[in-house]
Every structure is written in C-alpha cells, then in structure tokens.
Amino acid sequence: MKQYFHSVTLDKEKCKGCTNCIKRCPTEAIRVRDGKAKIIKERCIDCGECIRVCPYHAKKAITDSFDKIFEYKYKVALVAPSFYAQFKDKPDVNVILTAICKVGFDYVFEVASSAELVTEVTKNFIQKNNLPKPVISSACPAVVRLIQVRFPNLIANLVPLLAPIELGARLAKERAVSKTGLSPEEIGVFFITPCAAKATYIHEPLGIEKSLVDGCISIKDLYLRILPVMKQIKKPKMLATASTDGIFWAKSGGESFGLSNENNIAVDGIWNVIKVLEEVENQTVEDIDFLEAAACVGGCVGGPLTVTNCFVAKSRINHVLENTKLSPSLYTYSSDLDEAVRWEKTIDFEPIMKLDSDMAVAMQKLEQLEKINDNLPKLDCGSCGAPSCRALAEDIVRGFAKESDCIFRLREKVKKLSVEKGDAQ
Amino acid sequence: MSNRLLLHYNIDSADLHAAGEVSSTVKKILKQLGVAPEIVRRVAISMYEAEINSIIHAGGGFVDVEITTQKIFVRFTDNGPGIEDISLAMQEGYSTASQQVREMGFGAGMGIPNMKRYSDDLKISSAVGEGTVVEITVFINN
Ligand SMILES: Nc1ncnc2c1ncn2[C@@H]1O[C@H](COP(=O)(O)OP(=O)(O)OP(=O)(O)O)[C@@H](O)[C@H]1O
Ligand code: SF4
Ligand code: SF4
Ligand SMILES: [Mg+2]
C-alpha cells in the first residue's frame, strides 16, 4: 500500500513532549514517546485540532510554498469563500480578487461559484435517490475521513458528490485551457486553503482517483501577500460573480441554507460532530433530512490556517457582498452536471481500530487489554504519553508500550523492588 | 484462553446524561474485534434502546455481554417496576413514558420494536415489582 499523505505533521524541533495534544485528538492518533509527539498516520483525519492546541506551534499543516505556482505557465487561484471573511471593513470582493492576480495568479476562480452548482446538484440528488436519513454532507474532508475510520455504517449516508473545490478545479482548468490554448499540464490550479484537511484532500481525494487541484496555498500566506497590494488598487477588475448562496458555504449552516429541505441541522466542531454521528448511528435522529457537518468551529471560517477569529469571520460572511458589484456568472447549472459530479468510486471503511484480523486472536488481545486496564489507575493523566489509561492498555497489547510506561505502575514496581532489597539486608 | 469474552457494566440510576455510554463502549470494543460494521450497528441500536429503557423505566441496572466468534449476546437486568403485559410492550407505539420523559424526546414506543427488528433473537422476561431481564442476540455470520 502506498503511504497516505497527511498535511498535519510534527515539527520535532519545536515539540517539547508536553502531552497537551494527546487528549484533544478525536481519533486518539497522537502519542508522546521518548519526549516527542508522534502521529499514528492511519488514524489521523487531518482535523487540525492538534495544530490549534499546541502551545509551541510544533504541529503544522504542510501546504505548498508560494513559489510553486511559478512552475506553471498559467496560474489559477481557486479561492475558498472563507478567504473573504479574513478582511476588515467589508472590502469589495473585486479588490480582493484583483489583488490575487497582482501577486502572481493569472486567473481567479471563486469556489463559491462551484458551491452554488453543487447545491443545485445536491438538491436534485437527494430528491431522486433514497439515501438513509439524515443525508450527510461530504464537503468537509476531515468529517468524511472520520466517518471512514469511525462510523463505517454512515458511509451510505454521505452525499456521493464532488465537493465545490473539485468541481471548481475542473471548471477553472477547462476554462483556462480554452482561453489560453495551453495544455492542462501547463496550467496550475491552486486552492487557497483554510485547512489541513483540504491540503490532504488534493493528495488523497475522495470519491475520485485523482484531484485536478495541483497545489494549495494557505489562507494565511496569501492574506499577508495581498493585504498591502489591496490598498493600491483603485480600479479593480470586475471579477466577482459568486452570490451569497455560494459564499455562505464558508460558515456552518451555509450549505444547508441553499438546500430547501425542511429539517436540516448544521453541526460544527469535530467533537460535536462525533456526538451527533453517534446519535445518527443509534438511529435516534432519523427525523432530520440533512446533516451538515464541519470539523471546525464556525465552519470553514474556523479553519486552522485562517487569520481571523472564527466568530468574527462568521459574522463577516454575512456582509461580504455589501460593497461589491457582482458581474454575471460564467458558470450556470445544467442537468448534465448531475452526472458529472457524481463520485466515481466508493469510499471504503478503514478498520483502524481492529486489534487483529483474526477475531479469535482479537478477542484474546481484548481480554488482555481489559486486564491490563483494570490494573491501571484510571486517572487518564497522560504522563505515559497515551490519551487515556485504556489507550495505554491498548498500546501495550499492540506491542507499542509497556506497563512501566505508567508512572504509577513504575513507582509501585520500584517500591516493591526496594522493599525486597530492604528485606534481604 | 477461552473463546468467549465476558464483559460487565453497570447502568447508573436515572442519569440520562450517561445514557448510551454502555452501548457506545461495547460498540468500540466490537470495532476493536473487527466485527463487521453492519453487525456492530445492529448490536449498538438494540443495546442503546435497552439501555435507555433501563434508565427511564427502571432506574438503572446492569449489563452482561458475551462475545464469541459466532454471536454477541447481551443481557440487561434491572430491579425496576417490571412490565405488566410484555406482548403489549412489544407493540409499536405502546409507551407508559411520563410527560417529562416524552419532553426529552423518548416515549414513542419504538424501543422494543427496534430491538426486535435489529436483533436475531429478543427475549424479555419480567415480573411486576421485581424487575425486567432483556436478552438480545445478534449472530455473526462470517
Ligand atoms: N426495563 C423496563 N422496565 C420497566 N418497563 C419497561 C422496561 N422497558 C420497557 N418497559 C415498558 O415497555 C414500554 C415500551 O418500551 P419501548 O422501549 O418500546 O418504548 P418507550 O421506551 O416507551 O419509548 P421509546 O423507546 O420509543 O423512547 C415502555 O413504555 C415501558 O412501559
Ligand atoms: S490532525 Fe486531528 S486527527 Fe490528526 S493528529 Fe491532529 S488532532 Fe489527531
Ligand atoms: S470545516 Fe472546512 S476548514 Fe475545517 S477541516 Fe473541514 S473543510 Fe477544512
Ligand atoms: Mg424505550
């Protein structure tokens, strides 16, 4: 199997081994071993929680360096709508987009535009197909990964449609090819990303073999580059076309806003998402038609690579277009999109928690695990480097840790040894 | 080493905040054992309903789980008020839940019918004033 790419990685130099992150990881993917944090790759869903919590900024998201765009003859920026919420004083979106062109891009595509189209397709899809309720949005890759590793029964509830980022990449590339006559390889499509999950997505796309996005630049990075440039723009190019329906996708509740179902709920923050998915799995919320779930508090405006506080940004999203004159969109919905944005391959369950592929052996290991766990102090103190006593017991059974990693067990052992020694004297 | 895994859990009295904890724990264990998702789902739904019932109707109790490579067997025991007419309680829509409980979103009378639907075998025995035992079996067909 090829190595799964993760955007979220550890900067070993900066990590102090403090254990702040281990409990905040929703999939128990982090351990501190030999004084440094370690991410168990198979378990990480790139939600970015550890990036937010690390006091030493030792967890980072790998995005591309800005220079990478210059490897292409024609450079396209796919701008996530959350980008607009980074700026104070409701700037004209045309100014933002013009500034992006000024710092090196040849063309900008608003992901809000493709989001509008995805909304239309989603409406039709839900109407025509009988998906289990509630239908779950597949727009946040961290949530889809979470479902893939932890809620396999809910894979069937996911909307099997391309996310706006991918449809945007397709439309933008097609347009750039026809505009310039260049070959698709000479055109670089870069997503301006609010998060690590989307950065991972372009390497490990969902529902398709290969993403058409060629790289990603973090919102932070581009923000700093265009801020001074924006001030100098007196006469912006008229580039803004996306309406609020698409722009609202940036905040929690925005995607369902465009769908006209009766019972939609929007859940944000990975821990809240987990709680609700547990309920969906228990079938206690079947009265809900559509579940929008975002790993970040506030939705994408709360992404770990954004600049502005998510609550401020969420409110700004409501006012993005106040000083913007929109031009007519080049991209309109047509029914052939319905087929075009369908996932081409299924998403498979990844049983990362399995102790052994032979159930009888797994049962023996589990019995051992429970026994070890019974002997641990149940303080979940984290000193051993595992998020809970039970997680340590699991690590021991898997052969990655030993009982004396628990400082309480170690102390007992030392005491016992010294008593024995004392007796001997 | 036996080929049988036995687990035991207490369901704390009328604490609705803890509702679902046991079924959630067992769900996690079944996933660690590599039990197929569909089987896990059926066990989890049945257990969740039984767990809620023992909290809202009987003030808590305890759970015994027996896992083999062939099946998952779960027994809920409580010392609650018992069920007077079990066949009535099995009917969809039958509920004696109080107004207060209904306001919390329970009391549709769908719990036991769901247990029946998602398990391969469901046995309920009960004596008024003594308590209720609910036994759920789900087979693992490899
Ligand atoms: N452990 C129990 N002890 C006493 N009575 C019970 C117990 N479990 C169920 N019952 C009785 O059986 C009835 C039907 O149970 P069932 O779970 O089907 O519905 P419910 O709990 O009332 O509503 P719902 O499960 O839909 O929230 C209950 O209303 C209650 O009278
Ligand atoms: S990104 Fe999320 S899942 Fe991955 S290690 Fe960090 S907290 Fe855990
Ligand atoms: S909510 Fe948005 S920003 Fe956050 S991880 Fe998901 S896609 Fe990325
Ligand atoms: Mg019930």
Side-chain angles (χ1 to χ4, degrees):
Chain A
M1 221 177 82
K2 81 174 169 99
Q3 271 278 332
Y4 188 95
F5 172 92
H6 281 287
S7 171
V8 175
T9 39
L10 180 82
D11 184 338
K12 250 194 161 161
E13 297 285 295
K14 287 187 180 166
C15 177
K16 301 248 192 293
C18 69
T19 75
N20 268 304
C21 55
I22 55 178
K23 279 190 204 210
R24 281 286 290 273
C25 173
T27 54
E28 297 195 331
I30 312 173
R31 298 292 184 274
V32 174
R33 294 267 175 270
D34 305 320
K36 299 281 173 194
K38 189 177 165 295
I39 298 175
I40 306 169
K41 285 201 158 153
E42 305 77 59
R43 293 190 185 186
C44 173
I45 58 170
D46 291 282
C47 67
E49 282 295 295
C50 56
I51 298 181
R52 292 188 180 90
V53 74
C54 177
Y56 306 103
H57 308 291
K59 295 281 192 338
K60 52 182 189 194
I62 299 187
T63 50
D64 290 304
S65 83
F66 197 76
D67 291 339
K68 192 178 166 194
I69 76 167
F70 298 107
E71 290 171 15
Y72 294 84
K73 278 206 179 125
Y74 192 78
K75 309 146 193 78
V76 179
L78 280 184
V79 186
S82 44
F83 191 63
Y84 308 148
Q86 307 305 311
F87 305 91
K88 254 197 257 182
D89 306 325
K90 309 166 200 167
D92 181 351
V93 173
N94 289 299
V95 170
I96 300 175
L97 300 176
T98 305
I100 295 175
C101 291
K102 281 232 168 3
V103 298
F105 285 98
D106 298 299
Y107 184 65
V108 281
F109 181 97
E110 298 182 84
V111 176
S113 291
S114 46
E116 288 170 23
L117 303 178
V118 173
T119 300
E120 288 309 310
V121 180
T122 307
K123 266 191 215 167
N124 294 340
F125 186 87
I126 294 177
Q127 223 168 43
K128 287 193 200 126
N129 296 274
N130 205 5
L131 293 184
K133 288 272 171 77
V135 175
I136 302 173
S137 159
S138 56
C140 172
V143 169
V144 176
R145 284 287 297 161
L146 174 74
I147 289 177
Q148 214 179 349
V149 299
R150 221 180 126 170
F151 298 96
N153 287 304
L154 305 183
I155 292 176
N157 297 52
L158 286 167
V159 180
L161 300 175
L162 297 183
I165 174 182
E166 195 62 41
L167 177 60
R170 284 192 186 176
L171 295 173
K173 215 158 208 171
E174 268 169 30
R175 186 157 180 83
V177 167
S178 73
K179 226 174 132 169
T180 62
L182 294 170
S183 74
E185 295 75 49
E186 292 170 303
I187 294 161
V189 174
F190 288 83
F191 181 62
I192 312 307
T193 186
C195 65
K198 291 277 195 214
T200 297
Y201 165 88
I202 67 175
H203 296 272
E204 306 287 344
L206 302 161
I208 41 169
E209 220 42 74
K210 198 180 171 307
S211 170
L212 284 188
V213 185
D214 298 295
C216 62
I217 309 293
S218 76
I219 280 188
K220 269 186 203 167
D221 185 347
L222 190 64
Y223 173 86
L224 291 175
R225 281 168 204 270
I226 73 160
L227 205 55
V229 179
M230 277 170 66
K231 293 197 185 96
Q232 296 155 15
I233 295 171
K234 297 286 173 286
K235 268 214 160 118
K237 289 194 239 173
M238 297 308 282
L239 300 168
T241 63
S243 73
T244 43
D245 277 11
I247 291 171
F248 277 10
W249 274 64
K251 63 171 185 178
S252 168
E255 183 184 356
S256 13
F257 175 80
L259 302 169
S260 27
N261 291 324
E262 286 198 3
N263 287 318
N264 295 338
I265 59 167
V267 187
D268 56 333
I270 194 76
W271 295 98
N272 295 328
V273 171
I274 289 173
K275 260 194 224 153
V276 172
L277 293 180
E278 287 273 351
E279 293 205 28
V280 176
E281 207 173 41
N282 288 340
Q283 300 209 339
T284 55
V285 288
E286 280 168 303
D287 50 329
I288 290 161
D289 294 322
F290 187 81
L291 169 62
E292 181 186 328
C296 301
V297 172
C300 294
V301 287
L305 304 181
T306 58
V307 181
T308 302
N309 171 294
C310 68
F311 298 100
V312 174
K314 200 176 168 192
S315 122
R316 282 186 191 165
I317 276 292
N318 299 331
H319 306 287
V320 162
L321 292 180
E322 260 176 41
N323 299 311
T324 301
K325 189 169 175 312
L326 290 182
S327 308
S329 177
L330 296 168
Y331 308 94
T332 47
Y333 169 78
S334 67
S335 58
D336 41 311
L337 267 181
D338 287 1
E339 270 311 304
V341 304
R342 285 284 289 272
W343 279 355
E344 288 150 17
K345 58 176 206 177
T346 52
I347 285 189
D348 297 322
F349 171 40
E350 280 170 30
I352 49 163
M353 300 312 284
K354 198 152 83 170
L355 291 168
D356 201 282
S357 45
D358 179 341
M359 186 177 164
V361 179
M363 278 168 58
Q364 287 169 10
K365 286 189 179 167
L366 197 98
E367 205 166 16
Q368 230 181 316
L369 188 163
E370 296 288 345
K371 230 178 254 160
I372 297 168
N373 188 34
D374 283 344
N375 278 325
L376 293 173
K378 306 285 185 328
L379 292 172
D380 296 339
C381 70
S383 307
C384 60
S388 66
C389 295
R390 201 167 195 286
L392 176 66
E394 187 189 323
D395 288 349
I396 295 170
V397 169
R398 288 184 194 270
F400 302 138
K402 44 193 190 314
E403 261 185 272
S404 56
D405 286 336
C406 169
I407 50 165
F408 296 92
R409 301 286 296 154
L410 181 69
R411 205 149 63 185
E412 269 168 40
K413 210 163 135 186
V414 171
K415 214 188 233 163
K416 211 168 126 203
L417 276 178
S418 61
V419 170
E420 275 166 16
K421 215 170 153 203
D423 282 352
Q425 278 164 0
Chain B
M1 283 290 162
S2 66
N3 330 334
R4 232 166 31 122
L5 194 66
L6 300 174
L7 305 162
H8 179 88
Y9 304 95
N10 288 321
I11 300 175
D12 277 343
S13 58
D15 186 0
L16 262 178
H17 288 290
E21 256 172 27
V22 175
S23 51
S24 174
T25 305
V26 172
K27 191 154 80 177
K28 198 168 166 191
I29 286 174
L30 294 178
K31 284 176 185 173
Q32 287 183 313
L33 295 178
V35 175
E38 175 58 18
I39 305 286
V40 178
R41 184 174 86 103
R42 290 172 50 205
V43 174
I45 296 174
S46 314
M47 280 190 73
Y48 177 77
E49 293 292 355
E51 186 177 352
I52 297 286
N53 277 357
S54 88
I55 293 173
I56 62 177
H57 303 300
F62 57 87
V63 193
D64 291 288
V65 185
E66 183 186 329
I67 304 169
T68 68
T69 49
Q70 268 82 47
K71 67 168 195 239
I72 296 141
F73 172 80
V74 189
R75 186 195 298 116
F76 286 82
T77 310
D78 68 57
N79 299 314
I83 303 174
E84 213 175 281
D85 184 342
I86 293 176
S87 61
L88 197 59
M90 306 267 273
Q91 282 175 20
E92 284 191 14
Y94 176 81
S95 174
T96 60
S98 67
Q99 190 54 37
Q100 192 201 353
V101 166
R102 281 169 207 261
E103 272 161 19
M104 289 187 285
F106 303 105
M110 287 306 291
I112 299 178
N114 270 339
M115 287 179 220
K116 180 115 192 104
R117 182 163 150 221
Y118 288 103
S119 63
D120 289 308
D121 187 45
L122 174 70
K123 278 200 187 72
I124 301 177
S125 50
S126 185
V128 173
E130 283 174 32
T132 303
V133 177
V134 176
E135 295 177 322
I136 297 163
T137 306
V138 175
F139 291 108
I140 302 172
N141 25 6
N142 298 312

